[in-house]
């Protein structure tokens, strides 16, 4: 039976919680996790960089000067790459870097990432996370109580104080907030700690079981 400690916002242990081994206790598939991270990073690439080849730049309908008799090197077009304003030889072109992964692979990669956080003792479960005011200082105090710096904070964004939590966290360097439906492999592994509310853990288990 897989269990983890539950803490309050003061950093004190207040109980234990049983974790679903089908979500937090799977065999970690490192190759699949790597593919999921590469997939997300590739899908985030804009691919908007592009320059013009000699066929696309303007000008160059005739030879700059006669083939012979001038004493200069022969030139066929001012659109040639050696000319200022000419085309680029192997020009980078706009492209789509994204590629797909099927849903089963994505789910398994996410479970592997969650399991790795549990195995490395990097997951901190809170009994609740409530902020009555959108004060950065209050959120920083909670993180200090938990002894974490770089953290992904996951909670139910439908709760009453969700907006306060997001506003209070956005100016803290190394901290990112996420809802239950927006967690991903890259963010789970990027941050040193995975801080999640007990309610969020229960919903994650319902979704990914």
């Amino acid at each position: 039976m897989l269990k983890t400690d539950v803490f309050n916002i003061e950093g004190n242990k207040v109980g234990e919680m049983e974790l679903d081994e089908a979500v937090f206790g799977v065999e970690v598939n490192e190759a699949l996790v790597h593919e999921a991270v590469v997939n997300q990073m590739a899908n985030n690439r804009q691919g908007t960089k592009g320059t013009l080849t000699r066929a696309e730049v303007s000008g160059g309908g005739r030879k700059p000067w006669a083939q012979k008799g001038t004493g200069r090197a022969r030139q066929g077009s001012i659109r040639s790459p050696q000319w200022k304003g000419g085309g680029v030889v192997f020009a980078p072109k706009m492209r789509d870097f994204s590629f797909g992964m099927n849903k089963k692979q994505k789910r398994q990669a996410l479970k592997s990432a969650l399991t790795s956080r549990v195995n490395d003792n990097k997951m901190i479960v809170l009994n609740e996370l409530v902020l009555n005011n959108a004060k950065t200082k209050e959120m920083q105090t909670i993180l200090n109580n938990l002894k974490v710096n770089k953290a992904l904070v996951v909670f139910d964004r439908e709760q009453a104080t969700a907006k306060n939590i997001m506003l209070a966290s956005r100016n803290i360097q190394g901290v990112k907030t996420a809802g239950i439906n927006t967690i991903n492999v890259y963010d789970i592994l990027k941050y040193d700690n995975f801080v999640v509310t007990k309610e969020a853990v229960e919903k994650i288990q319902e979704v990914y079981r």
Side-chain angles (χ1 to χ4, degrees):
M1 186 178 295
L2 187 60
K3 289 186 177 181
T4 188
D5 296 333
V6 178
F7 299 87
N8 58 20
I9 58 176
E10 283 78 34
N12 300 318
K13 180 180 175 181
V14 293
E16 290 185 339
M17 179 182 186
E18 184 176 345
L19 299 176
D20 190 341
E21 294 188 9
V23 179
F24 292 95
V26 301
E27 182 179 353
V28 178
N29 189 330
E30 293 184 2
L32 198 58
V33 169
H34 176 265
E35 184 178 353
V37 171
V38 173
N39 171 258
Q40 184 174 343
M41 295 179 70
N43 292 351
N44 287 339
R45 292 183 69 176
Q46 290 185 331
T48 54
K49 181 179 180 180
T51 53
L52 303 179
T53 65
R54 62 180 296 167
E56 297 167 320
V57 295
S58 61
R62 61 180 178 82
K63 288 171 68 67
W65 51 73
Q67 178 84 347
K68 297 179 181 295
T70 64
R72 292 181 289 184
R74 54 193 173 187
Q75 299 291 330
S77 171
I78 61 172
R79 293 187 295 187
S80 297
Q82 71 268 25
W83 282 71
K84 180 181 178 180
V88 179
V89 180
F90 298 111
K93 307 304 292 182
M94 294 179 62
R95 57 172 290 193
D96 181 10
F97 292 94
S98 65
F99 65 93
M101 285 183 67
N102 63 51
K103 291 182 179 179
K104 186 176 181 181
Q105 287 179 313
K106 289 181 179 180
R107 288 172 66 90
Q108 193 61 34
L110 185 65
K111 291 179 183 180
S112 292
L114 292 171
T115 299
S116 70
R117 296 289 86 180
V118 175
N119 294 344
D120 297 338
N121 295 319
K122 296 295 185 180
M123 187 172 84
I124 300 174
V125 180
L126 298 176
N127 61 340
E128 63 176 0
L129 180 58
V130 177
L131 286 181
N132 295 322
N133 300 301
K135 298 289 186 180
T136 302
K137 185 176 180 179
E138 292 185 15
M139 188 64 190
Q140 185 65 65
T141 300
I142 294 174
L143 296 174
N144 292 339
N145 293 338
L146 299 173
K147 298 179 180 179
V148 299
N149 293 316
K150 193 177 180 182
L152 176 66
V153 181
V154 180
F155 57 97
D156 186 359
R157 287 190 172 179
E158 295 181 0
Q159 70 182 61
T161 62
K163 186 176 181 180
N164 289 342
I165 297 171
M166 289 186 284
L167 292 175
S169 303
R170 67 181 181 178
N171 287 331
I172 303 177
Q173 186 175 6
V175 174
K176 180 179 180 178
T177 60
I180 298 164
N181 296 324
T182 61
I183 58 174
N184 57 77
V185 175
Y186 178 77
D187 284 341
I188 292 173
L189 299 178
K190 176 183 177 181
Y191 294 89
D192 294 339
N193 295 278
F194 183 64
V195 180
V196 58
T197 62
K198 184 177 179 180
E199 181 183 11
V201 171
E202 293 172 347
K203 291 193 175 183
I204 289 172
Q205 293 180 153
E206 291 178 6
V207 174
Y208 294 101
R209 181 179 294 119

